[in-house]
Amino acid sequence: MQKIAPVAIRRANSDDADALISLEQDALGGVFGRTGLTDWSSLFAESGVFTYLAEDTEPFGVIAVGNPRETMHRDGNTGEVIAWYLHPRYQESGFGKKLLVHGLSVIKRRNFERAIIRIPEVAVKAIQSVQFLQFEQTGVESMGDVNLLTFSLTLDNFF
């Protein structure tokens, strides 16, 4: 019988930046979106951004939440899932949804009434996960060959 390593979700810090870059590259599989990879060092330095990682023997998932990146969503009521990645070998394990729920809980504790997340249309499993949690698609933005879909969730009944 294969021994399974214990899994933890903990607050990430600047020492985790290199591991998160590697995780993001693995999770995206070459689809880096409109601005490339996340600048993890800047996120760690930014006030109001909260980053958590899931790990067993090494980090395999990450969620970062905080104030929206784009001005049009900075209404004081909206928090954003800034980054949400899961290593491919952990997909369909339930850890992606657990990380997302953890991030949404942080957004709600920060007194935001709504959460948004942007996902490339090619990330079918991620889209299925947000739809399972009852996010609604509220926007589409062209990123060249791929569209970036915006999803929104009202947090009134969340926890």
Side-chain angles (χ1 to χ4, degrees):
M1 175 180 243
Q2 179 184 3
K3 184 177 179 178
I4 299 174
V7 172
I9 295 177
R10 67 169 173 85
R11 184 89 183 255
N13 60 54
S14 58
D15 293 339
D16 297 311
D18 288 341
L20 294 178
I21 290 168
S22 178
L23 168 63
E24 183 177 10
Q25 289 172 333
D26 290 341
L28 291 173
V31 180
F32 296 137
R34 63 187 169 160
T35 57
L37 295 171
T38 304
D39 182 351
W40 292 103
S41 296
S42 292
L43 272 186
F44 289 127
E46 190 175 328
S47 172
V49 173
F50 302 89
T51 304
Y52 297 88
L53 60 81
E55 64 184 354
D56 47 22
T57 57
E58 61 187 40
F60 64 82
V62 64
I63 186 133
V65 299
N67 296 317
R69 308 286 93 190
E70 295 185 12
T71 307
M72 67 184 206
H73 294 291
R74 291 185 190 160
D75 57 8
N77 295 320
T78 303
E80 181 175 1
V81 176
I82 299 165
W84 175 45
Y85 301 110
L86 191 66
H87 193 283
R89 75 175 170 262
Y90 289 86
Q91 290 179 358
E92 298 187 32
S93 65
F95 287 119
K97 284 184 192 137
K98 287 179 184 183
L99 275 170
L100 183 55
V101 167
H102 186 85
L104 293 172
S105 297
V106 172
I107 290 172
K108 180 144 185 182
R109 284 194 314 262
R110 303 294 302 165
N111 295 316
F112 290 114
E113 298 172 6
R114 180 172 80 117
I116 60 168
I117 185 170
R118 291 179 185 83
I119 302 173
E121 66 185 351
V122 296
V124 175
K125 291 177 185 174
I127 292 168
Q128 290 170 343
S129 291
V130 299
Q131 289 173 331
F132 177 82
L133 292 174
Q134 299 184 4
F135 276 79
E136 294 180 15
Q137 186 178 334
T138 56
V140 178
E141 180 183 340
S142 177
M143 293 186 346
D145 294 343
V146 176
N147 288 326
L148 186 65
L149 308 179
T150 300
F151 293 87
S152 178
L153 176 67
T154 301
L155 298 173
D156 291 344
N157 297 322
F158 193 80
F159 289 50

